[in-house]
Amino acid sequence: MYTIGIFRDPSQPVLDYTKDFASLGHEITFLKVGDVSSELGNVDAVIIEESVVTDLSCICKNILELRMRLNKLIWVLLIDNNEEAKTKKKIYLQLGADGVSTHEEEFALQFSNILNRIEKKEFPTNVQPVSSPVPPLELLPENLSVLREGKVEISLTKLEFKVLELLFNRHDKALTYEEIYQHIWANESAEKKEYRVSNIIFHLRGKIEEDPTTPKFIKTVRTIGYKLALDQQVNNSSMTNA
C-alpha cells in the first residue's frame, strides 16, 4: 500500500512492529540516522526511532530537514515514557513532527490508519468530481490542520494554526510583525519579536508550501510583515477550470 521510511540506528535493538507493517501490506525501507537523503522521494511516511546514541539535536535536525522537504507523515518513536520524554515530545511537535509516542503493540495499526486517512484520495463511485474551483487552503480547526487544494491535509501545531488562522481571516492584507506577535503571545515581553514571528512563519512555509524557498501562499511584505495571498490563487484556479 505505502512505503514507510524508518530512521534506525543499527546498534539499537530491533522493534517488532515492522513485521506488522508488512502484514498490513506496507513496504519498509530503512534509512541511516541523521542522513536525510534523496531516497526520501519514494516514501509516503517517515518514522524516526530514538536510540541511546541518537541525541536530541540530531532528531530535531532530522525533523526540520524532513519537514522542509516533505509534506508527509512524520512520527518519532521514543525509548521511554518518562518526565524527560514529555519535554522531548513537546519539542518534536513544535518542530513539525505529526506525532510522538513510545512503541506499543498496536502502534503499526494506529500509524497505518492515520496514513490511510491522510493519503487516501478517492471520490464515491456514484458521484462525479465537481468542476468548481477548489479552495487553495481550507482550515480544519477540529484537527488543527489545513487542507491544501482539497487534497492534502497538513497537521499543524497550535501556534502554527493560530498564526495561519490570523493570516487567513485577513488574507491578502499585510499584517505587521507586532500584530502577529500580539495575537499569539499577547503581552508577553520579548526582545526579538520579529525573530519569533519569523520562526513560526518558517515552519508554516515548510509545511504548506510546495517550495518554501518560493512561497505562493505566505508572502513577505518588506519592512512590514507577512500576508496570506489567496485571491490570486483563486483567480488562477478559476482560469484553469474555465
Side-chain angles (χ1 to χ4, degrees):
M1 294 177 67
Y2 299 109
T3 299
I4 302 171
I6 300 178
F7 284 90
R8 171 173 289 176
D9 169 23
S11 65
Q12 185 74 1
V14 177
L15 299 174
D16 61 359
Y17 67 89
T18 53
K19 66 182 181 182
D20 295 328
F21 278 133
S23 68
L24 292 168
H26 302 305
E27 181 179 344
I28 299 297
T29 179
F30 292 103
L31 305 168
K32 184 179 179 181
V33 173
D35 181 20
V36 180
S37 66
S38 57
E39 298 175 32
L40 294 171
N42 298 320
V43 304
D44 300 297
V46 174
I47 296 172
I48 304 172
E49 291 184 359
E50 187 182 50
S51 74
V52 292
V53 298
T54 305
D55 59 19
L56 176 67
S57 63
C58 180
I59 294 181
C60 289
K61 181 180 178 182
N62 271 22
I63 294 172
L64 282 172
E65 292 184 0
L66 288 168
R67 187 51 72 202
M68 284 291 292
R69 294 179 56 187
L70 301 173
N71 281 320
K72 302 293 183 181
L73 182 63
I74 299 175
W75 208 276
V76 180
L77 273 184
L78 301 176
I79 297 177
D80 298 309
N81 188 17
N82 50 27
E83 286 301 315
E84 183 182 1
K86 292 180 181 179
T87 301
K88 290 180 180 179
K89 182 176 182 180
K90 184 176 180 180
I91 293 172
Y92 296 152
L93 290 173
Q94 287 177 334
L95 291 176
D98 298 298
V100 182
S101 65
T102 52
H103 172 244
E104 298 177 348
E105 185 176 344
E106 65 275 12
F107 168 69
L109 186 57
Q110 291 176 334
F111 189 87
S112 183
N113 288 342
I114 295 171
L115 182 56
N116 281 330
R117 187 175 68 83
I118 292 175
E119 295 292 331
K120 199 170 185 180
K121 306 178 186 73
E122 62 181 21
F123 294 97
T125 55
N126 60 338
V127 178
Q128 294 297 318
V130 295
S131 58
S132 57
V134 176
L137 293 176
E138 181 182 351
L139 299 184
L140 303 175
E142 66 278 8
N143 296 341
L144 280 182
S145 62
V146 59
L147 190 64
R148 189 179 67 198
E149 296 170 347
K151 298 177 181 179
V152 182
E153 184 176 351
I154 303 165
S155 298
L156 305 175
T157 65
K158 288 182 179 179
L159 286 182
E160 290 168 350
F161 186 88
K162 200 170 182 180
V163 171
L164 185 59
E165 185 177 44
L166 174 65
L167 293 172
F168 188 91
N169 289 337
R170 296 174 63 181
H171 65 83
D172 298 290
K173 295 182 180 179
L175 293 176
T176 65
Y177 291 98
E178 182 67 26
E179 286 176 303
I180 298 173
Y181 184 89
Q182 289 299 326
H183 182 75
I184 304 304
W185 290 285
N187 296 319
E188 182 181 334
S189 61
E191 294 182 359
K192 299 181 179 179
K193 293 182 179 181
E194 289 190 13
Y195 172 79
R196 295 184 71 176
V197 172
S198 298
N199 190 48
I200 290 288
I201 295 296
F202 171 80
H203 293 303
L204 263 178
R205 281 175 170 165
K207 290 186 177 184
I208 72 172
E209 302 284 2
E210 293 183 1
D211 181 3
T213 62
T214 311
K216 70 176 185 178
F217 291 116
I218 303 178
K219 303 286 189 179
T220 299
V221 182
R222 187 174 298 179
T223 73
I224 297 177
Y226 301 96
K227 73 174 182 178
L228 186 66
L230 289 186
D231 285 348
Q232 185 61 41
Q233 308 302 327
V234 172
N235 292 338
N236 288 343
S237 177
S238 299
M239 292 173 65
T240 301
N241 287 279

